Amino acid sequence: MSTDSRRPAADSELQRALDAVGDPVRRSILRQLAAADPWTIACGQFDLPVGKSTLTHHFRSLVEAGLLEQRDEGNRRMNRLMRDEFDRRFPGLLDLVLDQ
């Protein structure tokens, strides 16, 4: 398989990542996760000015971009920033976002 045939998928993956980090609510989620230990913040604990259904949309975007991993613990959904994994795919991008 040539590099040219892989380019659309790579471009799509990059676009998904840029869309995810381009939203101010999602950047706030990322900053709060970066400041916390993994698996210590449940979805309902984020300090955000949006409703529950909108927040669900933002979490889904972050999961699909490979920035967020979620797991259920009892009746809570816990979150982990997938920093190492994302940094391997897009070196330096998350640092730029978190420093803003």
Side-chain angles (χ1 to χ4, degrees):
M1 186 183 276
S2 72
T3 303
D4 291 336
S5 64
R6 291 184 190 166
R7 188 165 192 92
D11 288 348
S12 175
E13 186 178 352
L14 175 59
Q15 188 60 55
R16 187 173 18 252
L18 292 173
D19 289 345
V21 300
D23 183 90
V25 171
R26 291 192 282 268
R27 285 194 306 270
S28 179
I29 292 169
L30 294 172
R31 285 188 193 103
Q32 290 178 57
L33 286 170
D37 290 331
W39 307 117
T40 59
I41 303 179
C43 290
Q45 293 178 290
F46 287 90
D47 182 24
L48 299 166
V50 296
K52 186 176 179 178
S53 64
T54 301
L55 190 55
T56 299
H57 165 75
H58 289 299
F59 286 132
R60 186 174 316 125
S61 294
L62 292 170
V63 168
E64 290 173 357
L67 281 156
L68 178 67
E69 182 179 13
Q70 296 183 310
R71 72 177 183 203
D72 293 331
E73 292 184 8
N75 63 352
R76 301 185 316 162
R77 179 159 286 179
M78 306 304 289
N79 299 279
R80 176 182 79 90
L81 178 61
M82 297 178 62
R83 185 179 196 124
D84 292 340
E85 298 90 339
F86 192 81
D87 283 343
R88 279 194 295 277
R89 290 178 23 235
F90 304 107
L93 179 58
L94 191 54
D95 287 333
L96 289 171
V97 170
L98 295 175
D99 288 343
Q100 294 298 315

